[in-house]
């Protein structure tokens, strides 16, 4: 039986910057690909995470800062962590950067017992790649980054 394209996790997927949950994705001055978010969360904490891939899209490193979870934000909901200075500092680390679509590999990296990354998952034979922690962005086939579920 032939495997359908949406029943297999991709080796690469595309992240496209937007005005919603993906404001910072692109290429840093040194050529590395990046994704920066201040909406990462688990049940008790919020995080600012800078995910970096090498120029060829293979995982390089993740830089994480634990911050206060926004007051009044319902459990299980993503929201900006009110860490504007930290976000600006992380962006400055990138040098001159360009916001643009990036094609990268999924990865998972544990930091102080918390999984960070873009993690593949499967439900009823359909694969997705979800951001962790928080699972508030999920990409699906065709993996072009133009649409995602929240």
């Amino acid at each position: 039986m032939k495997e359908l394209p949406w029943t297999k996790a991709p080796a690469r997927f595309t992240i496209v910057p937007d005005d919603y949950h993906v404001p910072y994705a692109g290429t840093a001055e040194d050529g590395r690909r990046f994704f920066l978010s201040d909406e990462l969360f688990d049940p008790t904490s919020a995080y600012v995470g800078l995910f970096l891939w090498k120029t060829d899209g293979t995982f390089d490193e993740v830089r994480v800062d634990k911050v206060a979870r926004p007051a009044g934000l319902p459990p299980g909901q993503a929201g900006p962590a009110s860490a504007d200075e930290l976000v600006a500092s992380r962006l400055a680390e990138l040098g001159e950067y360009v916001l643009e679509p990036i094609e990268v590999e999924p990865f998972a990296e544990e930091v102080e017992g918390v999984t960070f990354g873009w993690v593949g998952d499967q439900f009823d034979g359909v694969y997705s790649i979800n951001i962790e922690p928080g699972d508030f962005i999920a990409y699906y086939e065709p993996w072009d980054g133009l649409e995602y579920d929240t």
Side-chain angles (χ1 to χ4, degrees), residues 16-92:
V16 177
D18 65 23
D19 293 331
Y20 189 38
H21 286 300
V22 188
Y24 303 111
T27 303
E29 185 172 356
D30 65 5
R32 291 189 293 174
R33 310 304 183 231
F34 74 90
F35 170 80
L36 174 67
S37 179
D38 66 347
E39 296 187 66
L40 304 170
F41 68 95
D42 64 20
T44 59
S45 301
Y47 306 90
V48 173
L50 176 60
F51 302 165
L52 294 159
W53 293 265
K54 297 174 185 166
T55 58
D56 66 359
T58 58
F59 173 68
D60 190 17
E61 68 175 304
V62 61
R63 300 176 188 169
V64 175
D65 295 282
K66 190 174 187 177
V67 295
R69 185 135 165 86
L73 193 63
Q77 183 174 327
S82 300
D84 294 341
E85 288 181 24
L86 182 54
V87 169
S89 174
R90 287 292 186 204
L91 287 170

Side-chain angles (χ1 to χ4, degrees), residues 116-132:
F116 290 86
W118 291 93
V119 180
D121 196 12
Q122 180 184 15
F123 181 75
D124 283 343
V126 176
Y127 281 88
S128 64
I129 297 177
N130 311 298
I131 192 159
E132 293 294 340

